[in-house]
Amino acid sequence: MKNTLKMNSARVTTLALLAVMALFTSCNDDDIESSDTDTTTGTDTSTYILVVDQTGQGADIINHDGDEIFSWDFDAAIGNDASLLDDGSMLVCLKDNDAAITFGGYGGVFQKINADQTTDWEVSYSTTTQTAHHDVEYLANGNIIFPVWEQLLVSDATEMGFSGSQDIYPEAIIEMNPVTQEIVWEWHATDHLIQDHDSAKLNYGTVQDNPNKIDINYNSAQANGDIMHMNGITIDETNNIIYVTINNYSEIWVIDHSTTTAQAATSTGGNYNLGGDLVYRFGNPLAYDNVGDVTINDVHYPNVLDTGNMLVFSNNIYDNQSAVFEYQLNPPYQLVAGEDNEPELVWSFTNSELYSAGLGGAVRTPNGNTLIAEGRDGTVWEVSDSGEVLWKYAGYDTLWRVYAIPVDDDRLSFLGVN
């Protein structure tokens, strides 16, 4: 019932936003080419585009003519993200052929591929009860941090107040030294649950009165047990906080990374003195029975911009239409029960042609344009700040994300491009 309410409320609220978004959808059907490149003026030609091809075993850097500037061929299927590091190496998630948990976006293996295409290191995080998935971030200290599904048998879930009758797979976050393969920090959603289903359980309470906790029963009817589905992770190392997109809660969660692992399992410690409880959350206040506008319905990629704002890709603002939203973020954060905690929505883009039921993301180019990966359709969009569609390229079947790479970027020199 709660999930149905979430969907209907998201449609109502986003329909109310149409007047705002109409300001950013000034193109007409004649501006759109869905099968090849349209090089109208205004595109940011100071950048190439790194395209992460979700259907294949590679990634490409292309220009606005669709020409391939550089490409990678991985030795396994991609498992979703691939990012270009400062030294021209690539960090990539790959699928473990023997993974036990294989929901959409599963991976289990990470590789760092040097600029000369040799493999620097490979690590695995895939067992019978845990699998890394979707995304990975490379930290300044050389560690990697990534989301993990953890199997929780229905008997154990019931002890946590779960109202369903199936095994579930709540999320964890693991930070690893990939050279030594030591786990140096971890966070588990199961340490931060609230529920109003079973008063005999220790985590029983009023969901609305505990905004920093996660309602384990928000998606209790999820048949496959993937009740949360964390599909993106971004680290703000300056403020030592983690942003994650939670698709099945239609939210962005914010977690304090300044804690120790021991503190992260509690509700005290760290810069916010909340331990591993959520320091902030936004996009869908219904997920914690709160007030405020629902702006997200399914979500990918928590992209923190240089300005401190965040771009996210909302997959389904209403039936068969996606949108990109930019939120103004204002750390340090706080959540107040019963008050509107939602950030200000400062920019948005949608279009009747833009729809991806899964995947997707958006980045900002140096001149202020926005590159959008329409994941399921395999189309790259470039739109201006005013919402004009400047360029579309449909040279792929399915995309994970796209990233803007300046043509004079030092990383390209390592690859022999410049």
Side-chain angles (χ1 to χ4, degrees), residues 112-415:
K112 183 172 181 283
I113 302 170
N114 296 319
D116 64 4
Q117 306 305 286
T118 59
T119 299
D120 191 2
W121 49 253
E122 176 178 306
V123 297
S124 173
Y125 201 93
S126 179
T127 70
T128 56
T129 58
Q130 292 184 317
T131 297
H133 60 93
H134 278 96
D135 203 0
V136 61
E137 284 273 286
Y138 192 79
L139 305 182
N141 62 9
N143 292 343
I144 56 175
I145 192 165
F146 49 88
V148 170
W149 282 305
E150 298 187 308
Q151 183 184 35
L152 196 64
L153 297 177
V154 64
S155 56
D156 294 323
T158 299
E159 287 302 307
M160 294 183 179
F162 182 60
S163 62
S165 57
Q166 71 274 29
D167 294 352
I168 59 174
Y169 298 83
E171 299 291 346
I173 300 172
I174 299 297
E175 181 180 344
M176 173 192 286
N177 179 325
V179 177
T180 65
Q181 302 192 29
E182 176 191 4
I183 306 303
V184 299
W185 185 87
E186 54 191 282
W187 174 93
H188 302 267
T190 49
D191 293 322
H192 308 285
L193 302 176
I194 190 76
Q195 53 85 25
D196 55 11
H197 170 69
D198 189 342
S199 60
K201 301 300 185 286
L202 293 175
N203 62 351
Y204 179 79
T206 303
V207 171
Q208 185 183 50
D209 292 343
N210 292 274
N212 305 95
K213 299 287 189 179
I214 301 162
D215 180 5
I216 190 175
N217 291 315
Y218 184 66
N219 276 317
S220 59
Q222 190 80 25
N224 65 1
D226 182 16
I227 59 173
M228 297 174 184
H229 199 81
M230 185 185 294
N231 57 28
I233 185 168
T234 297
I235 313 300
D236 175 354
E237 293 200 66
T238 300
N239 294 300
N240 216 358
I241 51 179
I242 300 170
Y243 297 91
V244 290
T245 40
I246 308 296
N247 190 71
N248 291 345
Y249 281 56
S250 295
E251 285 189 291
I252 290 88
W253 291 349
V254 185
I255 298 162
D256 188 353
H257 185 241
S258 73
T259 59
T260 64
T261 292
Q263 291 170 333
T266 71
S267 299
T268 59
N271 291 341
Y272 284 85
N273 198 31
L274 289 168
D277 285 355
L278 305 184
V279 301
Y280 192 54
R281 64 199 302 174
F282 64 94
N284 178 23
L286 296 179
Y288 60 110
D289 292 348
N290 205 52
V291 298
D293 287 340
V294 176
T295 50
I296 294 172
N297 190 7
D298 301 334
V299 62
H300 280 80
Y301 191 19
N303 180 15
V304 179
L305 305 175
D306 291 340
T307 61
N309 289 356
M310 177 181 286
L311 289 177
V312 301
F313 187 89
S314 181
N315 293 85
N316 197 29
I317 55 168
Y318 47 89
D319 287 342
N320 299 326
Q321 193 159 336
S322 301
V324 175
F325 294 128
E326 181 180 349
Y327 297 93
Q328 181 176 311
L329 302 183
N330 293 295
Y333 298 113
Q334 63 176 345
L335 286 169
V336 181
E339 294 187 11
D340 187 344
N341 297 305
E342 298 301 300
E344 182 182 357
L345 179 64
V346 295
W347 187 85
S348 59
F349 173 82
T350 190
N351 184 285
S352 60
E353 300 280 336
L354 181 66
Y355 178 61
S356 180
L359 309 173
V363 300
R364 193 68 32 88
T365 68
N367 76 347
N369 290 347
T370 302
L371 281 175
I372 303 169
E374 186 183 3
R376 296 285 188 210
D377 192 55
T379 301
V380 185
W381 298 57
E382 185 171 344
V383 302
S384 69
D385 181 63
S386 65
E388 181 184 0
V389 177
L390 303 171
W391 180 72
K392 288 178 73 176
Y393 181 74
Y396 296 86
D397 292 328
T398 309
L399 303 177
W400 164 242
R401 291 178 189 162
V402 293
Y403 298 100
I405 308 292
V407 297
D408 59 354
D409 196 297
D410 289 341
R411 293 173 292 177
L412 299 178
S413 298
F414 290 108
L415 296 174

